[in-house]
Amino acid sequence: MKLAVGVAGTAKNTGKTTVLRVLLAEAAAAGIPVGLTSIGYDGEDLDHVTGLPKPRIAVPRGTWVATAQTALRPELEVAESTAVETAVGRVALARAVRPGRAVLAGPATAGGLTEVIARLHRRGARLVLVDGAFGRLAPMTAADGLIIATGAARHREPKLLAREAGAIATLFRLPRWPGDGHPRLRVSGPGGERVLPYPALLDPAWADELAAEAAAVGAREIHLPGSVSREALGRLGSQLDGPLKLVFSHPLHLLAPGEPLAVAEALAALAGRGFELGVERGLSLLAFTINPRYPVRAGGAYQWRAGDGGRLLAAVRQAAGVPVSDVVAEGPAVVWAEVQRLLGRQ
Amino acid sequence: MKARDRVLDAIDVEAFLLAEDEETARRLALTLMEELGLPGADVVFLEWRGTGARVRIRSYAHRPGDDYAWLGGGERGG
Amino acid sequence: MGERRVLLAPLDPVHDVGLKMVKRALDEAGHATILLPPDLPVEEIVRRAVEHQVDTVLVGRTLGYNVPEELARLVDVMEATGLRSRVRLGVGGMAVRPELAAELGFDRGFGPGTTPAEAVAFVEGRDYQPPAPGEGGRKPDLTAGYSYRVHDPGIARTLETIAAGTVAWARERTTPGVERARIRRQLLAADPGSGAELRQEYLTHCDPRIQAFYREGVPAGRTRPLRREEILALESAAGARRLEPLRLRHRRSRPAVFVQYGTGCPLMDIAHNRVGEGWGADGLVHFDPSWSARCEGLMEGYHTHEEDGSLLTLENLSAVGAARQPWTLWQVRAHRGLNTPETVVLAAAAGADLTKVNMVYGSLGAGTDPGRLLVDGVECLALAAEFGLPLDVVTNEELCGVPAAKAFAGMLIVAAIAVHLGARPLLQPLFCLSPDVMVNGQMDDNFLDYNAAKVHALRAIMDAPIWPGAPIGFLTHTEDRVQSAVTTALHAALASSLDVDAITIASTDEAYSGGAIAAASRVDTLRATAEAFRFFGSAGMAPTGRAREWAGELVEAIGRILEAVLARGTLEVALYQGLLGGPGDGAYPGRAGRGTVSRR
């Protein structure tokens, strides 16, 4: 019955704050108690980088907000403090005693987010909305569902944007093989199990070591927790023979290096050679949202420009395999329906 | 030709803005330029300490590559 | 505190100087540091963090195009690799603000102005306690450690004889100013509501203008009482939140930097003083209206004034004084005019830290009758001693054209009287392009030698604190902001290089006479001064050999002048006869208060 949904962006200015505002309004209209936090910092009037005005986060009365004490506004009344630290101070849980604005400064890590979500749930928030930051995704492993905001600020070319969205969606469709969450590279086969001291596949040299161990035990299964670098993954793949299961930890870990197209292509190549691919854990990718506007630097200052919203939307829809919407042009229905569906399912 | 047309490149506004925080000061700085009718402003320098901010805010009358009104084209308009 | 393992990763194409400074501080604190080559890919940095099993990763990067995205990617890969639960992440760079660090997912951001000590505290998981300004959060005693010994026995005897004679002379006399100070003290001590008789007595010593204020409520000068909401705003300014000021001095602990205020309105004064304090000023100097100095008696209550100078009332002073930061030094001047003893009484009652007295300048350069100001000034010095208020002895008569030697002789006499009475004076030579210097050419080549000569000369005569003023660089400022900031900064650097105790600086509006000083102009000279202090650090400016030669000439000339004053019998006569500056020097004995001295 209780749920946490993250709203992340593939880049800045892809409109995640707008999506968050829409979801807040819909939840309020549906009478669903909401908790709100962020994995970064949001809610200022102007963007840190571009100096452009940003949409404000309006919170209805009764909303629970987890934000740094230093970011609290008068309409928020503190109920409890936490030990979760941010770069602007310790996170507190507060309730909007009247409608107002929120400046969100929340837990930057998955561990901190897990704790904050649990506390918001305990306070009665049925739906916790988690604001993403700067294209960062990895802490969202603490959420149950994810909405990804993308658009012209990420890529102006519709085909490229669509290919990338498709690649991201592919990762979320990987089969889930629940495992023990062991945090090291590991191979197992008829010859036994070998664990390497590395928490991720970040170095081609580590890939070589792993391949050697795989050969030594006649590996049937390789566990690859954490993120993978494209180079190391290619290096590993080139030294392996099937049939073999490659088990990754989480789709968001695969996305962390910020190269979804490259990672998806590398995985497709491995699948093409008969390897079975899966993840130990995952979360539901609920929808993509599209923002056709993007900032450009003109003279000394940034200005907004508008891309072709229709073309962007059509292209991403064709590639994504999940609902896609421009919440400004089309309203909140598509995205909100996905959140409701997940709420019903939980 | 307007006096503004004779500005070689930029108009800077120097001021001290009372503001409770840096973000507010930045916003006020840009709003001030709008109020003064100086569009497309950029905050060149802003330092906030406690009660307000020392700011230098800039609006370009002519950027390199623009049509330069001071070349004389503006005089025809009288 | 165990040893921490710290990875330092410069993301810039070149090595980040900030990171190297942090590395040095961490090494000195006994931590293990690994400084990576610049410009490594994110995955490589994370790989090194894994291999070295570090507790902390510090990233240095100047923000630019796409840099926030790169930093966010580093944070995300750290998270995905499972390191974020045990590795703390900090980022430093010119444009890094705490909010940006939070948005990027770092545990801490180190922006401009942060010190390596802050990074060390972060690595060690401690709260960073910044060193409070003003010597550990307390106000510095600018006179501490000075003996006031006069090195030359001859000059010592002369000064002491003049001082003792002047005090004895003054003590046989009184003035309306002395009487009002006595009554004001009684009024301050009286129960509220009582004191009607005392006020009647006070008014017998006042100008008609001041009598009209008390009797008919007519404000004197171009003043008006503050409105109710203005008074509420004034009172709520007291004890306002602490500022975190710009760190003005770099490594040195001296000089304390004073700024002057006196917009006319106490509310505006408070706003301006907060600006001064925010940008690192250690002290504030109150300026009162010049007309009030020629008027017998002071008003009461909260008043604003349409022209330069803020009215001296207990209420005005208390409001401005209470709004200052706990470490801020505050000076209320009593160096000229007809109300000087009462001003010292009010300054002490309002909690001021310092006052300003100089009967020689006040009578030769600022329009007060010499005899009158001598009697009042001696009373001021006795009060300053009683209240424990150190005072500077200003020498602005140089601006009229009086040569430095004469001005300094007068200053030393007043300082000797102060010491004789148990007060603690600070010597205030001008750092200025004075008329005398313009005529005689001591600054034709540079501004260092003669200003340095003045400090050397004073030190050769007396072991006393030195506070060049007021403001430094007098007559070198123009209306141009940059020129004005630069000349202030260079004079401040010279003062710092000479290791003086304090300076007073101007704003960049010093030479502008068309209106009140703007707050932005205050910021500019303070920033410029901070920059000059940073530039020179504990290194010094190098005057030429002329500085010592001129210092020697000054000491000799001062000795001769003091002898001449002594020979003239009384200081009063010496002043009227121009021994410490006469018409030939552009100095004229003042007329305000003439004929108001009476024998006790």
Side-chain angles (χ1 to χ4, degrees), chain A residues 12 39-41 44 48-49 54 85-88 108-111 133-139 197-200 202-203 206 226-227 229 253 256-258, chain C residues 43-44 46-47 50-51 65 68-69 71-73 75-77 79-86 88 97-109:
Chain A
K12 282 183 76 68
I39 58 168
Y41 191 96
E44 290 187 304
H48 292 302
V49 176
K54 294 178 67 166
E85 294 277 358
T86 77
V88 293
T109 67
F134 251 117
R136 289 195 295 120
L137 290 167
Y198 308 122
L202 295 176
D203 187 341
W206 297 353
S227 63
S229 80
H253 293 168
Chain C
E43 286 78 6
E44 177 80 8
V46 178
R47 181 175 75 72
V50 170
E51 283 176 354
Y65 179 71
E69 285 75 10
L71 291 168
R73 219 162 68 74
V75 176
D76 229 26
V77 173
E79 172 74 51
T81 309
L83 293 179
R84 283 299 273 125
S85 56
R86 58 185 173 83
R88 305 226 298 153
R97 296 194 298 129
E99 293 79 10
L100 180 65
E103 187 172 358
L104 294 170
F106 285 82
D107 295 310
R108 189 70 61 84

Side-chain angles (χ1 to χ4, degrees), chain C residues 27-288:
Chain C
D27 290 342
E28 282 169 6
H31 301 292
T33 56
I34 303 112
L35 179 63
L36 294 181
D39 212 15
L40 290 181
V42 160
E43 286 78 6
E44 177 80 8
I45 294 169
V46 178
R47 181 175 75 72
R48 302 289 189 102
V50 170
E51 283 176 354
H52 294 287
Q53 301 191 358
V54 298
D55 314 290
T56 311
V57 175
L58 296 177
V59 183
R61 183 55 156 114
T62 310
L63 288 181
Y65 179 71
N66 229 20
V67 172
E69 285 75 10
E70 195 69 359
L71 291 168
R73 219 162 68 74
L74 172 70
V75 176
D76 229 26
V77 173
M78 294 275 291
E79 172 74 51
T81 309
L83 293 179
R84 283 299 273 125
S85 56
R86 58 185 173 83
V87 177
R88 305 226 298 153
L89 260 176
V91 58
M94 284 308 285
V96 176
R97 296 194 298 129
E99 293 79 10
L100 180 65
E103 187 172 358
L104 294 170
F106 285 82
D107 295 310
R108 189 70 61 84
F110 300 97
T114 50
T115 58
E118 286 171 63
V120 174
F122 170 69
V123 165
E124 294 176 354
R126 293 184 283 115
D127 280 342
Y128 176 69
Q129 299 294 341
E135 314 297 324
R138 293 195 317 276
K139 294 176 190 179
D141 175 0
L142 299 177
T143 64
Y146 289 99
S147 67
Y148 295 103
R149 206 174 74 83
V150 177
H151 303 300
D152 178 275
I155 294 181
R157 261 194 315 277
T158 306
L159 278 173
E160 177 53 31
T161 311
I162 297 172
T166 305
V167 170
W169 177 90
R171 284 282 156 88
E172 293 171 353
R173 292 164 171 79
T174 188
T175 72
V178 171
E179 294 307 311
R180 284 196 307 276
R182 173 181 58 77
I183 300 165
R184 179 63 66 187
R185 287 185 78 175
Q186 292 172 344
L187 275 167
L188 290 173
D191 292 330
S194 71
E197 278 178 34
L198 280 172
R199 185 155 289 112
Q200 280 308 315
E201 190 190 350
Y202 181 88
L203 290 182
T204 62
H205 300 288
C206 289
D207 261 16
R209 274 190 289 177
I210 299 299
Q211 289 169 347
F213 167 75
Y214 281 97
R215 289 180 179 144
E216 287 112 45
V218 183
R222 299 177 68 177
T223 67
R224 68 164 170 83
L226 285 187
R227 287 184 280 271
R228 201 182 124 71
E229 69 272 16
E230 290 170 331
I231 293 171
L232 288 176
L234 260 192
E235 286 171 348
S236 67
R241 66 179 164 160
R242 279 197 179 214
L243 298 168
E244 281 183 36
L246 173 75
R247 194 174 163 76
L248 204 54
R249 280 174 302 277
H250 178 50
R251 287 268 169 82
R252 292 174 183 254
S253 59
R254 294 189 287 191
V257 177
F258 284 74
V259 295
Q260 305 165 328
Y261 73 90
T263 61
C265 176
L267 262 178
M268 188 68 105
D269 284 343
I270 289 172
H272 274 236
N273 287 347
R274 295 243 165 99
V275 172
E277 289 175 313
W279 270 266
D282 304 280
L284 309 167
V285 182
H286 183 99
F287 270 51
D288 55 306

Side-chain angles (χ1 to χ4, degrees), chain B residues 22-53:
Chain B
E22 188 175 327
E23 182 205 345
T24 308
R26 200 167 285 278
R27 185 162 40 81
L28 286 173
L30 296 174
T31 308
L32 172 66
M33 295 295 268
E34 279 171 31
E35 288 173 5
L36 294 174
L38 296 167
D42 194 17
V43 178
V44 178
F45 171 77
L46 185 149
E47 186 175 40
W48 178 89
R49 288 190 180 274
T51 57

